[in-house]
Amino acid sequence: MAPRPEVRDTSSPTLDDADTAPKDSVVLPAYSTEDKYEDDPWNLPELQDNGLKWSELDTKGKVMRVLTAIVKFILLVGFLYMFVCSLDVLSSAFQLVGGKAAGDIFQDNAVLSNPVAGLVIGVLVTVLVQSSSTSSSIVVSMVSSGLLEVQSAVPVIMGANIGTSVTNTIVAMMQAGDRNEFRRAFAGATVHDFFNWLSVVILLPLEAATGVLYKLTKIVIDSFNIQGGNNAPDLLNVITDPLTDAIIELDKNVIRDIATGDPAARNKSLIKIWCKTEKITTLVNITVPSAANCTTGSLCWVEGNKTLTQINVTETINLERCNHIFVYANLPDLAVGIILLALSLLILCTCLILIVKLLNSMLKGQVAVVIKKVLNTDFPFPFGWVTGYIAIMVGAGMTFIVQSSSVFTSAITPLVGIGVISLERAYPLTLGSNIGTTTTAILAAMAAPGETLANSLQIALCHFFFNIAGILLWYPIPFTRIPIRLARALGNHTAKYRWFAALYLLLCFFLMPLTILGLSLAGWQTLVGVAVPIVVLAIFIIVVNLMQARCPQYLPSGLRDWDFLPRPLHSMAPWDHVVTSGMAFCGAHCCCCCKCCQSSEDEEKGLQERKKSLEIYDNPVLTRDDEPQETSKETMKATQL
């Protein structure tokens, strides 16, 4: 009998060490070649149809298959509709919970004059309100009212660009149940994060030093006689507003009024009670201390020992109440926000799970082949480079239609997870989404009043040119597509340690911006004194890691690995043990148990059982799978010497 061929499984951490050992020191178990994408988890999985072919069906079977496909399509559209509506309600919930805090953050104009502080404030406010359009409109209102200069608003817009990517990162975490789906989905979501952060790292210092975006947009505004236009067309909102408005309606002007310093707005509720109002202006007689206090041009007279004058008083008359479910609820904004947050997250998770199940059911056989070819295949040589730019235009157009980059990127994230769209194709779609959301903002700015048109349009153009500059930096040359490589590395890391995804979300969008904001408030000396050593250390670690992987011979012997450091400083395994132990304790003593952790344990047990069942092909005397990894390393080094 011919010997069974040996197949290398690169997903196991001990195989790399075993591969370098002599053949007689370790014998690897033979694995089945059926699991194709275990060798490379980034390969798109094959969705095969195990059912009968169309030609093999009778008339009844064909009718049932057609009806089933129609029902699945209707359900898919319905779940997508609920998914988009839940994102809108999620944004409203975040505004109720943190909207007034966001207005308070924007109110400190002295802090916003610091570019770094303005950047992190843009991130924090956008995360709090879950809407870059809301935070951008606040900035536009502040600039229009003279509370903030356009040049100081540019870093805030950059921060809003970063903060808007938190939504699809949250959506990616809903696919943590399957390791490989989570790997791809989290990478597809965080490629947006890395693009925004890398663009800011380059363009924020350049803008602070030269004001290039401000000057460029100023030239554009001064060169063209731009007239006010119409509002951006409501395309998707026309469909979703009937449902979302029946759940909650918000008065977003309250956040803007708090940011612009209106003291009366602090006591107002964001929940809109009256949807139809009318303002009536009347002349009212008031008493003033003397004739010198009378308004110029208005009637002023004396009656006895009183001086009277007339002023215009605007009174708002409430005509019709809103129809949402919280209109009669006597609850504070925070309570309503928490209720809606829990409700929207529940609907979001449910819809996402059902959408993934339906897509896995529908995308089979020839349908999957056609869709994958359309989405992931490049044009033939020499026009292959055009494909990515067409994807950018498609992303921009789709985002313009749905009028939200968060909705579009959140919709393609599960498609990346199940393997319909590759990470390389999702990247240009995301870049196009960034452009699409700025075009909507430009149209909205052109509808501003004449006295605020120039400033509003200049801020929107700053946002547009920032994204264009980022695309020029990180897309045209394949070598510069660093966000893809970083997202893939993070996807591998979070697939192995799935709890790290929550830590990344907390660190990237909350702890790090808050820390930078605190250091900025302490003064630029403190910020530089703390940030510079951290940045230098990070650059040193990155360079050493690259040299360890590519040219370790040029490093001192002590830096060729990180074994000289305590293990928790160079490995996530000890932290993973602590986290999994805590989750196991919680699962044993709490009512609810984490489904994703349970599925992780079941997956690991299944893998161990599969390995044990395949060991029958090996010589048990030569198998050393039970030895620790560290012992294997020492044995192999000694054998090589």
Side-chain angles (χ1 to χ4, degrees), residues 353-580:
I353 293 171
L354 293 174
I355 286 171
V356 171
K357 296 291 185 183
L358 276 174
L359 286 174
N360 279 327
S361 174
M362 295 172 66
L363 300 179
K364 291 180 179 180
Q366 294 300 317
V367 177
V369 173
V370 171
I371 291 178
K372 286 184 180 180
K373 282 185 177 180
V374 170
L375 294 178
N376 301 308
T377 304
D378 294 335
F379 285 110
F381 181 83
F383 302 105
W385 59 273
V386 180
T387 312
Y389 296 97
I390 292 179
I392 291 176
M393 290 189 288
V394 170
M398 292 300 297
T399 304
F400 180 80
I401 292 174
V402 301
Q403 296 186 39
S404 173
S405 59
S406 297
V407 170
F408 177 73
T409 54
S410 298
I412 67 173
T413 295
L415 296 178
V416 177
I418 65 175
V420 175
I421 301 177
S422 66
L423 180 61
E424 288 74 14
R425 183 66 70 241
Y427 181 54
L429 289 172
T430 301
L431 301 187
S433 177
N434 277 358
I435 296 177
T437 193
T438 60
T439 56
T440 304
I442 290 173
L443 288 178
M446 292 182 66
E451 63 274 9
T452 62
L453 174 63
N455 289 336
S456 302
L457 190 56
Q458 188 173 359
I459 294 173
L461 287 175
C462 286
H463 195 183
F464 175 76
F465 284 118
F466 168 75
N467 283 301
I468 292 295
I471 292 174
L472 293 177
L473 282 172
W474 309 116
Y475 187 76
I477 305 175
F479 176 77
T480 62
R481 295 171 189 173
I482 300 175
I484 295 179
R485 295 196 288 272
L486 294 176
R488 185 177 281 114
L490 183 61
N492 287 330
H493 203 69
T494 52
K496 187 175 183 181
Y497 307 109
R498 278 177 266 193
W499 53 267
F500 186 77
L503 179 63
Y504 165 82
L505 193 66
L506 186 66
L507 182 67
C508 188
F509 293 102
F510 290 98
L511 295 182
M512 188 169 69
L514 284 173
T515 303
I516 296 175
L517 179 60
L519 293 173
S520 301
L521 294 176
W524 68 269
Q525 296 92 342
T526 305
L527 178 63
V528 172
V530 175
V532 169
I534 294 176
V535 171
V536 171
L537 178 62
I539 293 174
F540 173 76
I541 292 173
I542 293 171
V543 172
V544 171
N545 276 328
L546 290 174
M547 294 184 69
Q548 285 176 351
R550 299 183 180 182
C551 50
Q553 65 274 15
Y554 294 109
L555 288 171
S557 57
L559 286 178
R560 292 179 182 177
D561 54 47
W562 299 107
D563 292 342
F564 65 92
L565 293 173
R567 195 157 181 249
L569 294 182
H570 66 88
S571 173
M572 297 295 294
W575 302 104
D576 183 62
H577 178 71
V578 173
V579 173
T580 52

Side-chain angles (χ1 to χ4, degrees), residues 14 24 27 30 54 108 200 257 273 299 334 340 358 444 447 475 505 536 573 593 628-629:
T14 61
D24 57 351
V27 176
W54 178 264
D108 195 345
V200 164
D257 293 340
I273 304 298
L299 183 62
L334 180 61
L340 289 177
L358 276 174
Y475 187 76
L505 193 66
V536 171
C593 182
Q629 183 178 355

Side-chain angles (χ1 to χ4, degrees), residues 37 58 60 70 72 117 122 131 170 253 282 292 438 458 534 566 618:
Y37 70 89
D58 56 10
K60 181 180 178 181
I70 294 174
K72 286 182 178 180
S131 172
I170 295 174
N253 293 331
T282 57
T438 60
Q458 188 173 359
I534 294 176
D618 304 320

Side-chain angles (χ1 to χ4, degrees), residues 214-244:
Y214 171 78
K215 294 177 181 177
L216 179 61
T217 53
K218 184 68 173 174
I219 292 173
V220 173
I221 295 296
D222 294 340
S223 300
F224 297 96
N225 184 21
I226 300 176
Q227 302 294 330
N230 297 320
N231 285 316
D234 290 332
L235 301 176
L236 187 66
N237 291 343
V238 173
I239 304 173
T240 59
D241 280 350
L243 178 59
T244 56

